[in-house]
Amino acid sequence: MYLMENYARLPVSFVRGEGVYLYDGEGRRYLDFISGIGVVSLGHSHPDLVEVIRRQAGEILHVSNLFVNPWQEELAGKLVEEFGEPARVFFCNSGTEANEAALKLVRKYWRDRGENRYRVLAFRRGFHGRTYGSLSATGQERFWEGFEPLLEGFDFADLNDMDSVRRAVGEETGAILLEIIQGEGGVNECSEEFLRELSALCRELNLLLVVDEVQTGVGRTGLFFCYQHYGIKPDVVTLAKGLGGGIPIGAVIAREEVAGAFAPGTHGSTFGGNALACAAASLVVDRVRELLSHVREVGSYMKEKLRELNVGEVRGRGLMLGIDTGRECRDAVLKALEKGLLVNCTAGSVLRFLPPLVVRKEHVDEAIRILEEII
Ligand SMILES: *Cc1c(COP(=O)(O)O)cnc(C)c1O
């Protein structure tokens, strides 16, 4: 009634959640295999997360970034430990803000060095967010329509096609930005060979490698960062979605040398790294670290079960999985909803599954039974 109609919302609303289940006003139960698009990583109403949020709300919700912030330091320490080499972190509130900050950071890095390497190479079918920088880096015209002119300085290549990358890189290219598994673009995976060659090209041409782990990060694919499956070392990593377990928070992790481009006053956010968000994310990171092998195990179980359905190519890793059904899948989403299963359709024909990381095999079996019924 009063809301802008920018979302095509499904005809259901929820009043309560517990673990992998959501409940509507009539007490109907839904198996949640979207988890707020990979946000509710520990499941709904995780008691430890609820407790941390309660406690932090009773102490301090927010202080300005004008002051020393121990909650950010604690969380940043954990993220840098996962990153595995000297790095620094900037906190914001969402995925698009994290990418926006990363884009500003790499531009500033080259400006500081007196080089005109302001261009960023990104990928077709990629998705990086809705604000102008991130939108301009998003290689899908359907998101641009009506919003042109976009920000200048972006070139696009095709995933898993090194020739297209070499063609698109020029003297003014300063960074390459990519998702290791494209989420919104249809769960499209980078091949190991492609990532190895891409990373070698970055070293050869001194390009900064920026990995958007907004969807793939924080344990979603069974390692803390998805790029860790491939043995590559990015210069910058962006996070959001699952990081706060449902509390809005985004982060940019950058190698120490790159991070130095953000001198005092160059970038900021009023809410970014809010005490409540950092306390929540800190707990989420601890729990996710304990869940990684569980994610790999349940993820490969689920991938196998999805394959056995025989309805199309199954892609993804860990608990970020998709079936390319080869046809419009919004109907399937509605049918699943009627039967109490929440799934998502992306890129038109890809059924996407992003269950909470605490999901167990019996929940997977329950989801598969419903999928069998609707196929
Ligand atoms: C969702 C997403 C974003 C945008 O995150 P918001 O929090 O919606 O701004 C950016 N990059 C990737 C890979 C995403 O999946």
Side-chain angles (χ1 to χ4, degrees), residues 121-142:
L121 176 74
F123 288 84
R124 290 188 192 94
R125 298 198 290 171
F127 181 84
H128 302 291
R130 306 285 199 151
T131 54
Y132 266 105
S134 308
L135 179 65
S136 303
T138 291
Q140 301 186 61
E141 280 170 34
R142 66 192 173 100

Side-chain angles (χ1 to χ4, degrees), residues 94-97 99 127-129 179 184 212 214-215 240-241:
S94 66
T96 199
E97 280 175 77
N99 288 323
F127 181 84
H128 302 291
E179 300 159 88
E184 305 308 299
D212 179 347
V214 168
Q215 192 161 146
K241 291 201 166 89

Side-chain angles (χ1 to χ4, degrees), residues 43-296:
H44 297 281
S45 310
H46 189 287
D48 298 348
L49 183 56
V50 170
E51 173 56 27
V52 160
I53 292 170
R54 280 216 173 93
R55 188 172 358 114
Q56 189 59 49
E59 288 170 7
I60 286 179
L61 277 179
H62 176 89
V63 293
S64 166
N65 283 309
L66 294 167
F67 306 104
V68 169
N69 188 315
W71 307 278
Q72 286 182 23
E73 281 292 350
E74 182 186 329
L75 174 59
K78 291 175 187 180
L79 296 179
V80 170
E81 196 177 312
E82 295 299 330
F83 187 70
E85 53 188 308
R88 288 184 183 256
V89 182
F90 167 78
F91 289 111
C92 51
N93 313 286
S94 66
T96 199
E97 280 175 77
N99 288 323
E100 208 69 39
L103 291 169
K104 285 181 73 179
L105 184 71
V106 296
R107 264 203 188 178
K108 182 72 167 36
Y109 173 87
W110 288 116
R111 291 282 181 236
D112 285 354
R113 278 154 187 74
E115 295 202 40
N116 191 34
R117 298 178 66 168
Y118 69 100
R119 302 192 74 83
V120 171
L121 176 74
F123 288 84
R124 290 188 192 94
R125 298 198 290 171
F127 181 84
H128 302 291
R130 306 285 199 151
T131 54
Y132 266 105
S134 308
L135 179 65
S136 303
T138 291
Q140 301 186 61
E141 280 170 34
R142 66 192 173 100
F143 291 110
W144 301 343
E145 255 167 72
F147 296 110
E148 300 95 340
L150 298 172
L151 188 63
E152 211 227 321
F154 292 88
D155 303 295
F156 295 94
D158 292 312
L159 217 60
N160 298 325
D161 179 351
M162 274 312 287
D163 288 339
S164 79
V165 172
R166 286 200 192 86
R167 274 198 304 273
V169 168
E171 279 175 6
E172 292 178 334
T173 309
I176 295 183
L177 167 66
L178 86 163
E179 300 159 88
I180 305 286
I181 303 174
Q182 292 180 330
E184 305 308 299
V187 194
N188 311 311
E189 299 172 68
C190 287
S191 74
E192 217 167 314
E193 189 193 355
F194 175 70
L195 285 175
R196 242 196 335 269
E197 287 182 27
L198 193 75
S199 162
L201 184 77
C202 286
R203 275 196 305 275
E204 182 193 324
L205 301 178
N206 241 339
L207 296 162
L208 297 175
L209 182 59
V210 184
V211 177
D212 179 347
E213 293 252 9
V214 168
Q215 192 161 146
T216 53
V218 199
R220 175 55 54 189
T221 70
L223 289 178
F224 195 83
F225 300 113
C226 185
Y227 72 78
Q228 293 170 324
H229 290 287
Y230 303 87
I232 58 166
K233 293 237 170 222
D235 299 289
V236 181
V237 176
T238 56
L239 296 175
K241 291 201 166 89
L243 180 58
I247 296 287
I249 183 168
V252 182
I253 308 164
R255 260 198 316 111
E256 188 98 47
E257 182 204 358
V258 180
F262 272 176
T266 50
H267 190 58
S269 163
T270 297
F271 288 122
N274 166 298
L276 182 78
C278 286
S282 206
L283 184 276
V284 169
V285 168
D286 289 345
R287 290 294 177 276
V288 164
R289 283 164 157 176
E290 298 159 5
L291 281 166
L292 295 176
S293 65
H294 171 83
V295 170
R296 292 194 293 273

